[in-house]
């Protein structure tokens, strides 16, 4: 860019001096250079001529550069086979990283830090490291300038072979007590995913502010017994499993921004343990009354159980599982109970709860807002059970079928889907809750968020395609004005009610983030969220908006 040409020239002229005085750690050169000319990819590229391959071409006159203004960017080299890595040398252009991590991986999935700093000063960082893997990644976490990141050369030294690295997916938390402190963005999103315009500190501060107001409005310590609960004034009962699941996911994610996060989370865990489903006691009873007693049979609800299990997995990665509660053990028991009691074994689709069994009228009925692909991925990783891949694929295939056959122009999904064992279709009228059960209404309004959460974290083509269909339609339908997002639609896009609610407009921000051409639209949705006050009478809308804000700012991660 013209505005930094002078700095770039200075940087090029000072390379020799940089070799002598810069760098965080002195390294030896005993092992050979193994990265030159190897396959390399990056999270973004600023423009033509600045591609990732320029960083491993052996020339100090060519460079890779990321998009400007974004902290969470990376460049990754594929060594072609497993290597023991002893040295990494980073030759920064003027646009350097103040904070970054060097990581290795055997499979381009599980990453191990071999170096990290928050005090980078540019120049040349010649690092002695100890690690092994086929892949080496430099993950930028904080820019040192207003631009992006730029490397003249990324050099990896090592030898072929080496034992697989010990990954960071154990239950032992880092020395700071947190595995994923809020704002750390340790796991990059898929390439090309957008975030609201503005600095990371500004958008993170907005999330923390909204979280504190959400917490004040809905987090309670009622009925004693060491319990914490999320109240649900707009639900059928004061406490519902869905609200507790939201609470567990949110509080575990916000650790680092809230010093009381673990105390609250453990109170929610105690609530879960003390309110077991009457059908499968490893699940959570769906509803409690004002006296904190389970009612309506005390059986489980799939939506709440999905988030409870996911929240426990987040907690295990966040704090480890050696404290008051063994989060990992509780999570695996909960995940296995979902599979046993809330997944239809014939269709591999989620049922409504553990109360539905073969022969009843709801056995082949499923709720679209329960289809959480990122949760399925986390369950697969935690348990090693390949059935979760099958379950995830069944739901993604159903989403594609429904969009193609019933909403080709909108991508909208209905609240419920019936006949899942034969010809899945939206109900013509009421099957469980209202005459709008076959339309995009108060359940399906969460679908853009749920589909989008998997799209941005995994980059899965099925999730991306489904998300972008929804985004293309709603951006056109509203003329790019989020104030025009209504509270409910027929699957053809015809509005069925007026008004505005965060439960309807906020989720579209997540699918907007999947489209590189939707920055202005995403910013409009973000600004609408910022100017929408929390409604203390609606945990539902407020909890959805909070989780959307977490996701679109890059703070959602899959354990």
């Amino acid at each position: 860019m013209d505005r930094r040409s002078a700095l770039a020239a200075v940087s090029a002229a000072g390379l020799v001096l940089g070799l002598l005085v810069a760098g965080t750690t002195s390294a030896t050169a005993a092992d050979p250079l193994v990265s030159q000319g190897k396959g390399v990819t990056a999270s973004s590229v600023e423009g033509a001529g600045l591609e990732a391959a320029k960083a491993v071409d052996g020339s100090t006159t060519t460079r890779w550069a990321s998009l400007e203004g974004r902290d969470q960017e990376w460049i990754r080299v594929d060594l072609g086979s497993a290597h023991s890595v002893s040295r990494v040398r980073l030759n920064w252009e003027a646009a350097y990283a103040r904070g970054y991590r060097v990581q290795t991986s055997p499979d381009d999935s599980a990453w191990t830090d071999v170096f990290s700093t928050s005090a980078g000063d540019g120049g040349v960082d010649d690092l002695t490291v100890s690690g092994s893997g086929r892949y080496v990644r430099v993950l930028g976490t904080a820019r040192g300038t207003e631009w992006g990141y730029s490397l003249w050369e990324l050099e990896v030294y090592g030898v072929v072979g080496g034992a697989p690295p010990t990954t960071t997916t154990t239950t032992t938390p880092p020395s700071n007590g947190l595995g994923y402190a809020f704002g750390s963005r340790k796991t990059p999103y898929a390439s090309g995913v957008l975030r609201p315009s503005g600095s990371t500190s500004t958008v993170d501060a907005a999330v923390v502010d909204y979280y504190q107001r959400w917490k004040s409005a809905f987090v309670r310590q009622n009925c004693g017994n060491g319990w914490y609960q999320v109240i649900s004034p707009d639900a059928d009962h004061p406490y519902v499993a869905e609200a507790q699941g939201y609470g567990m996911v949110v509080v575990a994610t916000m650790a680092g921004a809230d010093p009381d996060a673990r105390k609250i989370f453990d109170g929610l865990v105690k609530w879960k343990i003390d309110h077991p489903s009457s059908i499968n006691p490893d699940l959570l009873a769906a509803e409690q009354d004002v006296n904190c007693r389970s009612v309506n049979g005390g059986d489980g609800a799939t939506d709440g159980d999905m988030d409870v299990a996911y929240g426990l997995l987040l907690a295990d990665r966040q704090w480890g599982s050696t404290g008051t509660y063994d989060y990992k053990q509780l999570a695996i028991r909960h995940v296995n109970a979902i599979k046993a009691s809330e997944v239809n074994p014939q269709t591999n689709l989620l049922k409504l709860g553990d109360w539905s069994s073969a022969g009843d009228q709801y056995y082949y009925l499923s709720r679209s807002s329960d289809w959480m692909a990122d949760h399925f991925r986390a369950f697969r990783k935690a348990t090693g059970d390949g059935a979760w891949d099958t379950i995830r694929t069944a739901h993604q295939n159903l989403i594609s079928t429904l969009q193609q056959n019933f909403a080709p122009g909108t991508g909208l999904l209905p609240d419920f889907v019936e006949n899942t064992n034969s010809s899945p279709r939206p109900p013509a009228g009421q099957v469980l809750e209202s005459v709008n059960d076959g339309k995009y209404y108060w359940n399906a309004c969460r679908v853009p968020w749920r589909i989008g959460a998997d799209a941005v974290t995994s980059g899965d083509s099925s999730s991306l395609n489904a998300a972008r269909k929804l985004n293309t339609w709603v951006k056109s339908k509203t003329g790019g004005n989020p104030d025009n997002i209504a509270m409910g639609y027929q699957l053809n896009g015809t509005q069925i009610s007026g008004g505005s609610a965060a439960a309807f407009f906020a989720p579209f921000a997540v699918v907007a983030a999947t489209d590189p051409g939707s920055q202005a639209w995403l910013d409009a949705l973000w600004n609408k969220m910022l100017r929408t006050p929390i409604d203390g009478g609606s945990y539902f809308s407020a909890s959805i908006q909070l989780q959307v804000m977490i996701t679109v700012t890059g703070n959602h991660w899959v354990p």
Side-chain angles (χ1 to χ4, degrees):
M1 302 287 289
D2 290 342
R3 58 181 175 172
R4 68 174 187 230
S5 56
L7 273 175
V10 171
S11 177
L15 286 178
V16 175
L17 179 61
L19 287 170
L20 298 175
V21 304
T24 309
T25 306
S26 177
T28 65
D31 289 335
L33 176 66
V34 294
S35 56
Q36 188 167 314
K38 295 294 177 66
V40 62
T41 57
S43 55
S44 68
V45 174
E46 182 185 323
L50 301 172
E51 296 82 8
K54 304 293 185 182
V56 295
D57 63 359
S59 171
T60 56
T61 62
T62 60
R63 63 187 174 92
W64 162 72
S66 69
L67 288 173
E68 296 184 353
R70 297 182 359 181
D71 283 323
Q72 198 80 5
E73 299 286 350
W74 52 265
I75 184 171
R76 185 218 67 191
V77 60
D78 179 359
L79 302 179
S81 62
H83 281 64
S84 290
V85 177
S86 60
R87 177 187 178 199
V88 174
R89 186 173 179 275
L90 305 175
N91 187 344
W92 297 100
E93 191 250 358
Y96 70 95
R98 178 169 52 82
Y100 67 90
R101 300 172 181 272
V102 179
Q103 303 173 310
T104 60
S105 173
D107 56 5
D108 200 22
S109 177
W111 293 93
T112 299
D113 290 352
V114 295
F115 176 82
S116 66
T117 184
S118 59
D121 57 1
V124 175
D125 290 339
D126 203 351
L127 311 172
T128 298
V129 299
S130 179
S132 60
R134 172 175 171 171
Y135 301 89
V136 176
R137 181 171 73 179
V138 179
L139 170 63
T141 57
R143 289 167 293 132
T145 70
E146 64 185 295
W147 307 307
Y149 303 108
S150 185
L151 284 165
W152 296 107
E153 283 293 296
L154 160 59
E155 297 176 350
V156 180
Y157 295 80
V159 294
V160 175
T166 300
T167 71
T168 56
T169 59
T170 66
T171 60
T172 303
S175 58
N176 67 359
L178 293 176
Y180 278 77
F182 176 79
S184 60
R185 296 177 176 82
K186 292 174 67 173
T187 304
Y189 278 5
S191 178
V193 172
L194 303 176
R195 294 184 192 157
S197 297
S199 69
T200 54
S201 59
T202 299
V203 297
D204 283 357
V207 178
V208 173
D209 174 69
Y210 196 88
Y211 166 73
Q212 294 293 350
R213 289 185 282 135
W214 171 88
K215 179 179 163 184
S216 177
F218 303 109
V219 177
R220 296 289 184 269
Q221 281 184 284
N222 293 338
C223 305
N225 291 317
W227 294 330
Y228 273 88
Q229 318 93 347
V230 176
I231 61 170
S232 49
D234 45 332
D236 291 339
H237 294 85
Y239 313 105
V240 294
E242 176 187 74
Q244 313 321 311
Y246 286 164
M248 292 175 75
V249 171
V250 165
V251 172
T253 303
M254 297 302 297
D258 181 359
D260 292 328
R262 189 167 189 180
K263 178 175 69 176
I264 297 170
F265 189 88
D266 281 355
L268 291 165
V269 172
K270 191 173 191 305
W271 176 273
K272 167 246 183 316
I273 292 171
D274 292 346
H275 294 86
S277 167
S278 59
I279 295 176
N280 189 324
D282 284 331
L283 300 175
L284 172 61
E287 299 167 324
Q288 290 77 38
D289 64 16
V290 68
N291 296 312
C292 301
R293 295 176 301 198
S294 295
V295 293
N296 282 358
D299 41 40
T302 300
D303 51 1
D305 284 321
M306 289 284 291
D307 275 333
V308 168
Y310 193 79
L312 287 164
L313 291 173
L314 292 173
D316 170 63
R317 294 291 300 278
Q318 192 70 278
W319 296 295
S321 288
T322 58
T324 303
Y325 298 106
D326 186 335
Y327 304 128
K328 185 66 172 289
Q329 181 188 49
L330 287 169
I332 290 176
R333 287 171 56 184
H334 211 103
V335 169
N336 290 338
I338 292 171
K339 179 185 171 186
S341 299
E342 294 180 333
V343 174
N344 187 311
Q346 296 183 34
T347 64
N348 288 308
L349 300 173
L350 291 171
K351 301 187 297 176
L352 303 180
D354 61 357
W355 48 269
S356 178
S357 58
D360 71 40
Q361 61 180 317
Y362 303 110
Y363 193 57
Y364 295 111
L365 185 69
S366 192
R367 178 170 37 219
S368 61
S369 54
D370 297 351
W371 305 344
M372 310 170 198
D374 58 343
H375 289 38
F376 297 143
R377 294 183 197 277
F379 298 169
R380 169 66 167 89
K381 184 176 180 181
T383 63
D385 186 351
W388 288 107
D389 290 333
T390 302
I391 292 166
R392 173 177 54 80
T393 300
H395 288 87
Q396 291 180 305
N397 288 342
L398 181 54
I399 289 169
S400 177
T401 297
L402 290 167
Q403 287 187 324
Q404 179 178 346
N405 294 343
F406 298 98
T410 66
L412 295 171
L413 300 188
D415 277 9
F416 297 95
V417 179
E418 63 181 4
N419 288 1
T420 58
N421 62 324
S422 55
S423 300
R425 67 190 184 200
Q430 182 173 353
V431 292
L432 187 71
E433 294 185 0
S434 78
V435 295
N436 293 316
D437 283 348
K439 300 173 185 177
Y440 182 85
Y441 207 46
W442 281 98
N443 284 293
C445 64
R446 295 169 286 187
V447 163
W449 157 44
R450 293 302 195 184
I451 291 176
D454 185 64
V456 300
T457 53
S458 73
D460 180 274
S461 60
S462 178
S463 293
L464 280 170
N465 289 338
R468 288 168 176 168
K469 286 178 183 177
L470 287 162
N471 181 62
T472 298
W473 168 76
V474 74
K475 186 165 64 168
S476 174
K477 174 73 174 180
T478 61
N481 182 354
D483 291 337
N484 293 334
I485 297 175
M487 294 164 56
Y489 294 93
Q490 296 179 27
L491 299 190
N492 65 5
T494 301
Q495 180 177 324
I496 60 176
S497 62
S500 179
F504 282 89
F505 64 74
F508 283 114
V510 188
V511 294
T514 69
D515 176 18
S518 289
Q519 185 67 60
W521 172 233
L522 173 59
D523 289 343
L525 287 158
W526 175 254
N527 290 329
K528 181 170 177 63
M529 287 189 279
L530 294 184
R531 65 176 183 264
T532 300
I534 282 184
D535 177 1
S538 179
Y539 90 92
F540 186 76
S541 277
S543 299
I544 291 170
Q545 175 167 320
L546 174 55
Q547 291 175 92
V548 165
M549 293 175 73
I550 288 169
T551 300
V552 298
T553 56
N555 286 299
H556 178 59
W557 49 277
V558 180

